[in-house]
Amino acid sequence: MPWYTGTQVLYMNTRLVKEAGLDPANPPKTKEELYEWGRQIKAKTGAAGYATQFSANLFPSEGVPILDADRSKPAFNTEEAIAVVNNLKKLIEEGVIVKDDAPFDKQIQYYSSEQVAFELSGPSFINFLKTSAPNVYENTVAVPLPTGKADLRYSNSMNLVVPKGSKNPQDAADFAAFVTNTANQTAFSKSSNTLPSTKESIQDPFFLAIRQYAGIASQNRFGAKPRQGAGVLFGRAERLGH
């Protein structure tokens, strides 16, 4: 069952960006532009571009399908996929991307300690940053996520599922329905800085106000419009009923 979601944005440390001679009010819009910014930041400040957790979504973001049209066979054993991997290797060697396969908590550590100038993450990232590094938080802005060749942005969606072998499938399903109902999703998303997945929740004045500010310029933490035609992919499931 759909639970909560949130699209990724690009968080920028404006202090490091300005030190590298770049303008945070005119942020990169494509991955290639982001990589160029990362190279300049590495050269001028010594900080890396960003840390990330390496995952398969790198392929579709660059227009390389993971499965064939029938979704029955792998489709990434191609020259295009090899080029994507080789480019990733080059970016790591250049210091644009941190070599560490960094999960969310490590990404927070890298950014909080100013070892990187950027982070590609969802809206809940800012909550952790505000607590772990208030000074860095004050120098941080959020702008639309630069996109690759496929012009896709990702939704870090969470879903609740009941495994087939669950001992208590009905209880688990009832609990999932309770957790994901409109009232609970609305309250949870307001508290956690995420977005709810129900149509009713998104009509709450709290989220309508956020939508009204969606066109604000990049100087504000959660503003700016997405690129024309940018799409959304992927999600995640939490298991219930064990």
Side-chain angles (χ1 to χ4, degrees):
M1 301 181 70
W3 191 7
Y4 63 91
T5 188
T7 56
Q8 288 189 328
V9 297
L10 176 68
Y11 294 97
M12 294 196 303
N13 182 319
T14 56
R15 186 189 71 79
L16 291 174
V17 167
K18 292 176 181 177
E19 186 178 329
L22 298 164
D23 181 8
N26 186 28
K29 295 179 176 59
T30 68
K31 284 288 183 67
E32 288 303 319
E33 291 176 358
L34 176 62
Y35 301 152
E36 285 302 318
W37 275 47
R39 293 182 182 101
Q40 187 162 332
I41 284 170
K42 183 66 176 177
K44 299 289 186 177
T45 73
Y50 62 94
T52 190
Q53 188 163 27
F54 305 115
S55 62
N57 62 23
L58 176 65
F59 286 143
S61 70
E62 295 300 332
V64 177
I66 295 176
L67 299 174
D68 64 9
D70 296 331
R71 295 183 175 272
S72 59
K73 292 185 298 185
F76 56 87
N77 188 18
T78 62
E79 292 299 321
E80 291 79 9
I82 293 172
V84 169
V85 173
N86 285 337
N87 187 53
L88 175 62
K89 180 175 180 290
K90 181 172 180 286
L91 292 168
I92 292 172
E93 292 171 347
E94 292 175 333
V96 174
I97 299 176
V98 174
K99 184 177 181 179
D100 187 11
D101 183 24
F104 184 66
D105 59 337
K106 290 294 292 293
Q107 293 172 29
I108 296 169
Q109 292 173 24
Y110 277 114
Y111 190 88
S112 296
S113 59
E114 296 191 305
Q115 295 180 69
V116 299
F118 309 118
E119 199 49 62
L120 289 60
S121 191
S124 61
F125 176 85
I126 203 71
N127 294 348
F128 293 94
L129 178 64
K130 187 175 183 179
T131 301
S132 63
N135 292 338
V136 178
Y137 168 84
E138 291 299 328
N139 288 325
T140 294
V141 296
V143 299
L145 185 73
T147 55
K149 294 178 181 177
D151 201 18
L152 291 173
R153 293 192 178 96
Y154 299 106
S155 167
N156 290 325
S157 300
M158 297 292 179
N159 305 290
L160 296 181
V161 300
V162 179
K164 185 177 180 180
S166 172
K167 295 179 180 178
N168 303 288
Q170 188 57 56
D171 289 342
D174 291 344
F175 179 69
F178 170 76
V179 170
T180 61
N181 69 31
T182 296
N184 286 331
Q185 280 209 41
T186 303
F188 177 81
S189 288
K190 287 180 180 179
S191 176
S192 63
N193 201 24
T194 58
L195 294 174
S197 66
T198 71
K199 293 181 180 179
E200 295 83 2
S201 293
I202 210 68
Q203 295 304 316
D204 185 278
F206 178 86
F207 299 108
L208 292 176
I210 292 175
R211 290 166 63 183
Q212 291 173 1
Y213 287 105
I216 292 177
S218 62
Q219 286 86 349
N220 293 292
R221 287 193 171 84
F222 298 108
K225 296 179 180 179
R227 285 177 63 196
Q228 185 84 19
V232 184
L233 281 181
F234 289 97
R236 178 179 168 185
E238 301 292 340
R239 294 164 62 86
L240 295 176
H242 291 286

